[in-house]
Amino acid sequence: MNILDKIVADKRKEVDLKKSLIPVSQLENSVLFSRQTVSLSNALRNSSSGIIAEHKRRSPSKSEINQGLNVQDVATGYENAGVCGMSVLTDGKYFGGSLDDLILARAAVQMPLLRKEFIINEFQILEAKAHGADVILLIAAILSKEEIKTFSELAKSLGLDVLLEVHNEAELHKSIMPSLDMLGVNNRNLKTFEVSLETSKLLSQLIPDEFVKVSESGISSIEAIKDLKPYGYQGFLIGENFMKTDNPGASAKEFINQLSELRPNSNG
């Protein structure tokens, strides 16, 4: 059993428990459920940097990254730095996150928020909307084609953007459908945890142009982004790179400033 299988098995138990405790009507009646969402895909299309910055305390591959920071400060720092959106990990057992992190970030900022979670049930999509998310992540490796369709259509009906993550060509082929906004290529092999930007390069030509292309994992340098831009990527999800510093917002600002200095040469 690899780490992804383990996470999903635990997630199924967690969601079953939550569903037994929290009625759907409670989620639908939450103050944030009727909030007008902000589109991350539009923000990425209109951005020169394309940075989606992450709030992540720990991970199965890196154990502890940063436990000492307050999520509102991180969110405010990222927004001031000019990122396009923020990814908030809400998995507790493996990543040290929670839905409270999403609510606290939402209270602090206006920018699009992605609920980064292992979604295996429609209940989690209603949860995302009720806790202030603008975007959900769907992971092709853990979902059937029918689930991707059902979940993405539900998300769209709630006004949420959908980022679908793939790791290989087979996942990409089963996933392409009109109810997605963004296709994310994860450069990390979730079975071995090895990272290679070649994954993004190889899959880029197979992603239709109507979707915003997002590259995820292993992007820790300006060079990596410069390298991927010619392949049509408009979004870059950066996790540990900012979070492992004492001030993620300041790190993100410096990164975006360096990126904008390179801008005139980016096509040449």
Side-chain angles (χ1 to χ4, degrees):
M1 201 187 222
N2 64 46
I3 186 69
L4 192 58
D5 296 335
K6 256 196 210 104
I7 291 172
V8 170
D10 284 336
K11 194 57 62 181
R12 291 196 191 284
K13 290 180 201 152
E14 181 192 311
V15 173
D16 285 345
L17 178 63
K18 280 186 171 178
K19 284 176 74 177
S20 70
L21 296 171
I22 302 163
V24 164
S25 58
Q26 187 179 318
L27 296 174
E28 291 174 340
N29 290 330
S30 95
V31 175
L32 290 168
F33 201 84
S34 55
R35 173 185 157 268
Q36 183 72 44
T37 52
V38 190
S39 170
L40 177 61
S41 53
N42 286 348
L44 292 174
R45 278 195 185 94
N46 298 310
S47 163
S48 59
S49 78
I51 302 296
I52 306 161
E54 195 151 81
H55 179 265
K56 173 156 64 171
R57 291 188 181 86
R58 56 186 163 89
S59 75
S61 62
K62 288 275 167 71
S63 58
E64 195 165 306
I65 297 163
N66 198 328
Q67 301 278 22
L69 295 173
N70 153 339
V71 68
Q72 295 107 306
D73 292 345
V74 175
T76 307
Y78 281 158
E79 188 167 66
N80 292 342
V83 304
C84 292
M86 176 172 168
S87 161
V88 181
L89 270 138
T90 60
D91 173 77
K93 182 168 181 179
Y94 294 91
F95 292 89
S98 73
L99 279 163
D100 285 348
D101 289 336
L102 195 54
I103 283 198
L104 292 169
R106 178 78 289 148
V109 295
Q110 300 298 316
M111 66 179 164
L113 296 180
L114 163 73
R115 180 187 188 188
K116 192 146 186 223
E117 182 55 271
F118 298 85
I119 290 181
I120 40 104
N121 191 287
E122 291 173 61
F123 185 81
Q124 293 162 287
I125 301 169
L126 298 172
E127 263 184 343
K129 178 70 170 156
H131 290 78
D134 300 283
V135 195
I136 59 156
L137 173 75
L138 296 178
I139 301 172
I142 62 174
L143 300 171
S144 67
K145 185 172 187 166
E146 289 66 35
E147 286 172 323
I148 294 169
K149 185 174 190 296
T150 303
F151 295 170
S152 56
E153 286 176 357
L154 171 62
K156 295 312 295 173
S157 75
L158 296 171
L160 297 165
D161 264 11
V162 180
L163 168 62
L164 186 115
E165 174 181 301
V166 299
H167 298 85
N168 57 42
E169 197 173 327
E171 290 176 8
L172 183 61
H173 286 311
K174 78 170 180 186
S175 304
I176 292 174
M177 53 186 79
S179 43
L180 308 176
D181 301 285
M182 295 161 281
L183 271 159
V185 177
N186 193 334
N187 301 305
R188 175 175 284 122
N189 180 323
L190 288 184
K191 297 187 168 87
T192 63
F193 278 100
E194 286 168 5
V195 173
S196 169
L197 295 184
E198 291 307 308
T199 312
S200 280
K201 293 177 185 177
L202 288 169
L203 294 181
S204 67
Q205 62 213 26
L206 304 173
I207 300 174
D209 288 341
E210 65 259 33
F211 303 107
V212 175
K213 294 181 198 177
V214 178
S215 186
E216 311 169 21
S217 293
I219 299 166
S220 56
S221 67
I222 303 289
E223 284 64 41
I225 292 180
K226 227 178 143 182
D227 202 13
L228 290 169
K229 283 256 182 187
Y231 291 87
Y233 285 92
Q234 291 175 289
F236 305 93
L237 185 81
I238 300 184
E240 285 144 27
N241 200 39
F242 301 145
M243 279 304 291
K244 66 187 181 196
T245 67
D246 292 336
N247 188 332
S251 307
K253 193 178 180 74
E254 190 183 330
F255 193 91
I256 289 170
N257 287 345
Q258 287 176 2
L259 200 54
S260 62
E261 285 164 19
L262 293 175
R263 186 68 41 226
N265 310 321
S266 62
N267 299 321

